[in-house]
Amino acid sequence: MIDLEQRLRSRGCRLTSQREAVLEVLEENQGRPLRPEDIHALAAKRLPGMGLTTVYRTLELFCELGIIAPVHLASGRNYFEVVAGKHRHYMECISCGGVETIEVCMIEELADKVRSGSDFQVTSHCLSLFGYCGECSRKGVAEGHARAGRGWGAA
Amino acid sequence: MIDLEQRLRSRGCRLTSQREAVLEVLEENQGRPLRPEDIHALAAKRLPGMGLTTVYRTLELFCELGIIAPVHLASGRNYFEVVAGKHRHYMECISCGGVETIEVCMIEELADKVRSGSDFQVTSHCLSLFGYCGECSRKGVAEGHARAGRGWGAA
DNA sequence: AATCTTATTGAAAATAGTTTTCAATAAATA
DNA sequence: TATTTATTGAAAACTATTTTCAATAAGATT
Ligand SMILES: [Mn+2]
Ligand SMILES: [Mn+2]
Ligand SMILES: [Zn+2]
Ligand SMILES: [Zn+2]
C-alpha cells in the first residue's frame, strides 16, 4: 500500500481519481508487468471514460515519484510494475510470450566490478532472460520454432 | 570478418550490395550499438539510394542468422551490434545518453540458479546498467538533473 | 551471353505506440 | 463560495516499424 496523496503533495501534484485508479490496477498486479494499454483497459473499468493519454502521463509521473519502474522485455515495448520492496527481474518465453518473475538479483556484484573499473555511477539496471518456458519446452517448440515477437533474438 | 555469402547461401538467400553495406557499417562500429536510422545513414553513403525499409529487413535477417543482436537500452528503442566472440553488456548515461561497454558477464551464475528453481530454458538475456557517466557525474548533473530520455527511470 | 525464375528492393501507404496541443474540468486553496 | 491552476480527454501530431506492390537484379539454366 503506497500513500499516494503524500507522494503527490510532496511535488505539488494533486490527488485525482484517475491516479488512484492507475495505482490500484498496478498494485493488484504485482509480479505481472503490464502495458500502458492493459493498464488503461483495467483502469477504465473502474473509471469509465478515462483516457489513454492520462495513463501515459500518470505512468511517467509515477516513475518520477519512484512508485513504479519500467520493465524492458524482448518486444521492445514498455511494461510497468510497482516497485515493491524486493527488486525483480524477468524471464520471457520467446515462444508464447509468457513472463515469469525472478526474485534473485546479483547485479550488485557486477556493479562492484564496474565501479572499480570505471567512473560510471550506476543507479539502476535492467535484466531479462529469454528462452522457453516449461510448457513450451515440453511441447518441443524450442526445436523447430523460430523466435517470436518481432523476430529478433535477444541480447 | 563474417563470411556473409556463406551464411546467406545456407538459407537460400542472395548476396546483395545492400546486405554487404549494412554488414560493413556494423562491423566498423563494434562496441557501439547503432539505431536502424544510423545504420541507414551510414550505409546510404556507400550505396546512395538505399532505402530504410531494406535496412529493417536486413537487420531482421541478420538477427535470424545470428550475425547481430538487438541491444535494449533505456529509451526503449532498438539498437544493434555485431555478435562478436565475447558477450557484451552496456552502461547508458541517463544524463547525456552516452553508451559504454561492459566486457564482463556473470549471468551464467544467475542462469544456474534459475535452472534449479524452475523449468524455464534460458537461451539469451539482456542486461544494461543505467546511471551517470564519469563526465556527467563530475559536472554534478547527478544531483539536480531529472532523468533523461523519455523521463522514465530504468529497471 | 541471353534467358528465366524469383528473391530482393524502394516508395508509399498502413500500423502501432507515444507525445503534444488545447479548451474544458475539477482539485486545492483562500 | 469564489479563485487559481493542475489535470483531463479528444484530436492531431509524431516516431518507429511493418506491409504492400510493382520494378529490379541475383543466381541458375540454357
Ligand atoms: Mn537486479
Ligand atoms: Mn551476459
Ligand atoms: Zn512459453
Ligand atoms: Zn553522461
Side-chain angles (χ1 to χ4, degrees), chain B residues 45-104:
Chain B
K45 279 190 190 169
R46 303 161 181 269
L47 218 60
M50 172 163 193
L52 178 57
T53 307
T54 298
V55 171
Y56 276 103
R57 281 189 288 232
T58 303
L59 292 175
E60 179 164 4
L61 175 62
F62 284 6
C63 280
E64 285 169 12
L65 292 175
I67 295 174
I68 63 174
V71 174
H72 304 290
L73 299 177
S75 67
R77 296 184 199 123
N78 283 297
Y79 288 74
F80 294 88
E81 196 183 359
V82 169
V83 173
K86 67 184 86 173
H87 182 89
R88 292 197 179 106
H89 292 297
Y90 306 88
M91 296 183 288
E92 182 180 35
C93 178
I94 55 185
S95 173
C96 70
V99 176
E100 297 176 30
T101 308
I102 303 171
E103 305 288 348
V104 183

Side-chain angles (χ1 to χ4, degrees), chain B residues 7-127:
Chain B
R7 301 221 199 179
L8 290 171
R9 284 263 166 81
S10 73
R11 291 226 339 185
C13 296
R14 296 175 183 177
L15 178 63
T16 66
S17 53
Q18 288 88 344
R19 287 170 178 167
E20 287 181 309
V22 168
L23 182 57
E24 282 168 24
V25 165
L26 287 162
E27 280 185 329
E28 287 174 4
N29 285 280
Q30 294 207 35
R32 181 198 303 176
L34 298 174
R35 315 255 338 273
E37 212 181 323
D38 306 324
I39 295 167
H40 175 239
L42 293 169
K45 279 190 190 169
R46 303 161 181 269
L47 218 60
M50 172 163 193
L52 178 57
T53 307
T54 298
V55 171
Y56 276 103
R57 281 189 288 232
T58 303
L59 292 175
E60 179 164 4
L61 175 62
F62 284 6
C63 280
E64 285 169 12
L65 292 175
I67 295 174
I68 63 174
V71 174
H72 304 290
L73 299 177
S75 67
R77 296 184 199 123
N78 283 297
Y79 288 74
F80 294 88
E81 196 183 359
V82 169
V83 173
K86 67 184 86 173
H87 182 89
R88 292 197 179 106
H89 292 297
Y90 306 88
M91 296 183 288
E92 182 180 35
C93 178
I94 55 185
S95 173
C96 70
V99 176
E100 297 176 30
T101 308
I102 303 171
E103 305 288 348
V104 183
C105 176
M106 357 178 315
I107 305 301
E108 288 309 316
E109 301 170 46
L110 177 61
D112 281 340
K113 291 198 187 182
V114 169
R115 264 174 223 123
S116 51
S118 79
D119 52 2
F120 197 98
Q121 186 185 336
V122 179
T123 61
S124 66
H125 64 272
C126 154
L127 165 68

